[in-house]
Amino acid sequence: MIEKILVLEVVLPLLAAPVCVLVRHPRLCRLFSLGVVAVCFAIAVAVLLEVRGGGVISYQLGGWPPPLGIEYRVSTVNAYLLALVTAMALVVMSFDSRGGPPRVPEQRRHLYYAVFLLCISGLLGITITGDAFNIFVFLEISSLSSYILVSLGGHRRAVMSAFYYLVMGTIGGVFFMLGVGLLYQVTGTLNLRDIAARLEPSLDDRGTVLALALLVVGISIKLAVFPLHHWLPNAYSFAPPKVSAFLAATATKVSFYLLAMVLFTIFGAPFVFEELRLQAVLLPLSILAMFLASGAAIFQADLRRLLAYSSVAQIGYMTLGLSTANATGLAGGLVHLFNHAVMKGGLFLVVACLLYRVGSVHIDALAGIGRRMPFTSAALVIGGLSLIGVPGTVGFVSKWYLVSGVLERGWTAAAVLILLSSLLALVYVGKVVEAVYFRKPAETQPIDHVREAPLGMLAPAWVLAVAAVFFGLTTNWTYGVAREAAELLLAGGI
Amino acid sequence: MTSAQWFSGLWAYWLIIALMMVGLYIVIARDNLIKKVMGLNIFQAAAILFYVTMAKVTGGTAPIVPHDPAHPGGHGEHGILYSNPLPHVLMLTAIVVGVATTALALALAVRIHGDYGTAEEDEAVIYDREHT
């Protein structure tokens, strides 16, 4: 029964998108897509409960058995991602952005919801499918729709950022496709488990090593791993705020899953981390991301750009967890997926509230706003504390396990650097909090007219702020699932 | 394997890599957005050619099973060597993806031209610097 429901996870949003195009009523479309996402979330939770403890759900599309047919295969690893993506989609969808994205007129807004649903469907498809080429197709569905979503931001630079994102994303997508092609040449199959079973990776086999290189570089572009992150700050800071919140909370997380799946399931930890020693590249890049991107965040005058650079730094923490290749570190990286989605999603929703009321998120324009918008500002502080990693917030949980994993590996210097990079987060969060609470509003920009954000905006932002504290105190669910997923990945399963 | 064999046996791959680098170079070096899109297209086409190349089986024919009166279903063993049809099927999808990407990229280029009055990247950067 549950495997028949599983396929709906992708099919529902995929079919709901054209329905939105036909319905053409903006408010109706919004409620409809919210309902679809809620159903997807319910399915994801049911699936996660079903597979916890080592279960696997498999669905054969069209009744063709794998490896010939396409298989949807879900274990704890992908069920965790499905729950994460649908939960974030649900919270962001429920955010009432009062008039939709700036570039979209009322009579076209139904198309915006259609594209949003397509993006969700693509992200869920990448996570759920067990077929390598199918991943490429879903990757492009989600990417194409996110280029559109980014281009809808009000500023003219939004379109330019979307164009950059498209060029980078397409190059990444083609690299991924070439990597899959080489794997097909070596193994003669496209089913992920079948590839993993037939592949005997060795350093002498040029085809296999090239496939790994193409896949890792292609996915790293989509994930925005440090030197390939250039598209991200522009895309996230010019996209409509709701879109930034959604993409920051889900798109990079799904790419991270893809990278972990390629490294651990297809090529296997022994080859990647002992023979090839990928950590010799991944670890320095992660640390550079943590420092340079956090450093860049400090000097940003716009809150959205600041958060976008901080995202690049946080991706550094995730890849750092990946490069430890032990259960604690990898679980730390995986739990940071959820934790970062909660805090960064929450912060970008706060940005959306501020933009709606203040009209700008330039840090100077936010001076003294703490008195005018107390609830919004409090959510901003909670998210900020979590970015720093203060105990009692989700940020602390991830850093705790990351540091433990790194120490288990014997990399004392890296552990010290993680803690030092938190100080940079303290600086850039401190800068925002100082402006919001302690600085007097500039006389040229009076804020007397500014009121608290409406409930439809405040509630979703606060759901994530409360989650940031709740999951910072109760780690059974998040870390428990992440640990199980990490052990499964290290054992080479999905 | 001598270097001559290495080249002659793999000439299709050399061609594909050359084509790919041509595309990538255009994307990086040209400022005109339309030219960038064309470069991206060449880049994608090279990847598609790669798949098509690997589908070829030496001496293989088109993968169409001939009609066999003895087996009305038509799936007998005929001792015929076929080329691999699967990569071609995959590339149908990849071509569709490529067309969608091109269409979107061109639509964005039109939008950029409308907003900036130019489709040249360097001029747009200067425009942004002057109108903050």
Side-chain angles (χ1 to χ4, degrees):
Chain A
M1 184 56 196
I2 188 103
E3 69 269 8
K4 294 220 168 63
I5 299 175
L6 181 68
V7 72
L8 291 178
E9 187 84 345
V10 179
V11 170
L12 265 184
L14 199 61
L15 288 182
V19 170
C20 274
V21 176
L22 293 174
V23 169
R24 303 179 72 94
H25 187 287
R27 210 166 302 157
L28 211 59
C29 284
R30 179 165 178 263
L31 286 178
F32 175 64
S33 36
L34 191 62
V36 168
V37 173
V39 173
C40 286
F41 176 61
I43 296 173
V45 170
V47 167
L48 181 61
L49 292 177
E50 179 79 15
V51 298
R52 270 213 74 178
V56 169
I57 304 174
S58 160
Y59 179 83
Q60 301 164 2
L61 270 99
W64 292 87
L68 288 183
I70 291 171
E71 181 193 20
Y72 281 0
R73 190 181 167 83
V74 171
S75 67
T76 313
V77 188
N78 1 30
Y80 171 60
L81 259 291
L82 289 180
L84 168 63
V85 171
T86 49
M88 288 301 146
L90 185 61
V91 174
V92 174
M93 267 282 180
S94 66
F95 184 88
D96 181 6
S97 55
R98 297 284 176 105
R103 250 339 213 331
V104 184
E106 172 90 14
Q107 66 270 26
R108 297 266 178 82
R109 207 181 307 146
H110 57 282
L111 296 174
Y112 164 69
Y113 293 111
V115 176
F116 221 119
L117 284 169
L118 275 182
C119 190
I120 294 170
S121 166
L123 291 172
L124 293 176
I126 297 170
T127 320
I128 216 168
T129 186
D131 183 273
F133 201 79
N134 212 221
I135 292 182
F136 167 72
V137 176
F138 280 123
L139 195 65
E140 290 302 302
I141 292 178
S142 67
S143 300
L144 282 168
S145 41
S146 44
Y147 310 145
I148 300 174
L149 290 173
V150 167
S151 76
L152 300 177
H155 198 274
R156 64 170 181 275
R157 288 188 67 186
V159 191
M160 201 51 146
S161 318
F163 191 87
Y164 280 133
Y165 186 12
L166 182 142
V167 170
M168 290 302 284
T170 306
I171 292 174
V174 172
F175 272 28
F176 183 84
M177 188 175 94
L178 281 173
V180 170
L182 279 162
L183 279 182
Y184 177 68
Q185 259 187 332
V186 174
T187 59
T189 175
L190 287 169
N191 183 288
L192 292 175
R193 277 199 314 146
D194 209 29
I195 293 176
R198 291 176 187 221
L199 194 69
E200 287 163 0
S202 97
L203 286 180
D204 305 322
D205 185 354
R206 284 277 183 83
T208 313
V209 177
L210 182 59
L212 177 67
L214 286 168
L215 289 171
V216 168
V217 172
I219 299 168
S220 297
I221 292 177
K222 302 251 180 195
L223 173 62
V225 171
F226 168 64
L228 305 170
H229 69 282
H230 195 67
W231 58 268
L232 189 144
N234 280 327
Y236 283 13
S237 46
F238 293 110
K242 202 170 151 178
V243 171
S244 311
F246 177 69
L247 291 181
T250 56
T252 46
K253 312 296 174 279
V254 170
S255 305
F256 181 83
Y257 152 77
L258 207 52
L259 185 61
M261 196 272 298
V262 165
L263 294 183
F264 290 101
T265 307
I266 294 188
F267 288 91
F271 174 69
V272 175
F273 292 100
E274 282 161 33
E275 271 188 73
L276 193 68
R277 296 188 54 76
L278 189 69
Q279 68 271 34
V281 179
L282 210 51
L283 181 68
L285 289 184
S286 310
I287 290 172
L288 278 175
M290 280 152 44
F291 279 91
L292 294 181
S294 299
I298 294 174
F299 295 102
Q300 298 306 317
D302 183 284
L303 180 56
R304 277 189 291 176
R305 277 191 96 70
L306 184 150
L307 291 178
Y309 274 105
S310 142
S311 272
V312 177
Q314 302 289 324
I315 290 164
Y317 290 114
M318 294 171 205
T319 48
L320 183 77
L322 197 68
S323 52
T324 62
N326 62 33
T328 318
L330 185 57
L334 284 171
V335 83
H336 196 50
L337 287 187
F338 179 82
N339 292 346
H340 179 243
V342 166
M343 52 195 174
K344 204 42 85 49
L347 282 169
F348 270 114
L349 289 184
V350 165
V351 164
C353 295
L354 291 170
L355 263 181
Y356 181 68
R357 283 299 192 211
V358 186
S360 159
V361 283
H362 203 277
I363 288 175
D364 293 334
L366 297 179
I369 220 77
R371 281 169 208 276
R372 313 294 314 181
M373 300 174 75
F375 291 104
T376 312
S377 308
L380 179 73
V381 171
I382 294 175
L385 289 178
S386 188
L387 274 180
I388 303 168
V390 173
T393 60
V394 283
F396 177 73
V397 177
S398 348
K399 278 184 186 155
W400 174 267
Y401 288 112
L402 279 175
V403 169
S404 320
V406 166
L407 286 178
E408 227 172 82
R409 195 70 200 249
W411 295 338
T412 325
V416 174
L417 289 173
I418 293 178
L419 299 176
L420 281 178
S421 71
S422 304
L423 289 179
L424 292 179
L426 184 66
V427 176
Y428 63 70
V429 171
K431 189 175 100 164
V432 180
V433 172
E434 189 263 336
V436 167
Y437 280 101
F438 302 111
R439 218 188 290 167
K440 282 207 178 102
E443 281 174 18
T444 48
Q445 284 168 316
I447 54 163
D448 300 334
H449 66 284
V450 173
R451 284 176 297 129
E452 185 54 82
L455 190 66
M457 295 188 165
L458 210 50
W462 263 94
V463 165
L464 292 180
V466 169
V469 175
F470 180 78
F471 290 110
L473 299 172
T474 327
T475 58
N476 291 2
W477 294 342
T478 50
Y479 183 72
V481 176
R483 176 90 192 186
E484 201 181 301
E487 276 163 9
L488 198 61
L489 277 172
L490 284 171
I494 33 169
Chain B
M1 201 187 284
T2 66
S3 58
Q5 278 173 326
W6 197 56
F7 186 82
S8 64
L10 300 173
W11 63 269
Y13 292 127
W14 287 109
L15 214 64
I16 288 162
I17 290 170
L19 198 58
M20 208 169 178
M21 291 306 119
V22 167
L24 203 55
Y25 178 78
I26 297 173
V27 175
I28 296 167
R30 294 293 132 188
D31 278 322
N32 186 299
L33 298 180
I34 308 290
K35 286 184 184 167
K36 272 185 195 289
V37 176
M38 294 307 131
L40 216 50
N41 261 327
I42 297 173
F43 185 65
Q44 280 177 322
I48 289 169
L49 279 178
F50 168 71
Y51 268 80
V52 172
T53 314
M54 81 169 135
K56 177 67 184 165
V57 175
T58 316
T61 178
I64 303 166
V65 180
H67 182 66
D68 184 357
H71 301 86
H75 301 293
E77 285 286 328
H78 298 280
I80 306 171
L81 191 63
Y82 295 114
S83 280
N84 187 352
L86 184 75
H88 291 97
V89 179
L90 298 180
M91 283 312 101
L92 279 181
T93 317
I95 290 168
V96 173
V97 168
V99 170
T101 312
T102 310
L104 180 59
L106 291 176
L108 290 176
V110 170
R111 212 55 188 278
I112 290 168
H113 188 265
D115 285 354
Y116 286 85
T118 174
E120 301 284 330
E121 189 192 351
D122 49 347
E123 288 170 17
V125 171
I126 293 168
Y127 185 89
D128 267 333
R129 208 173 293 148
E130 286 168 357
H131 303 75
T132 37

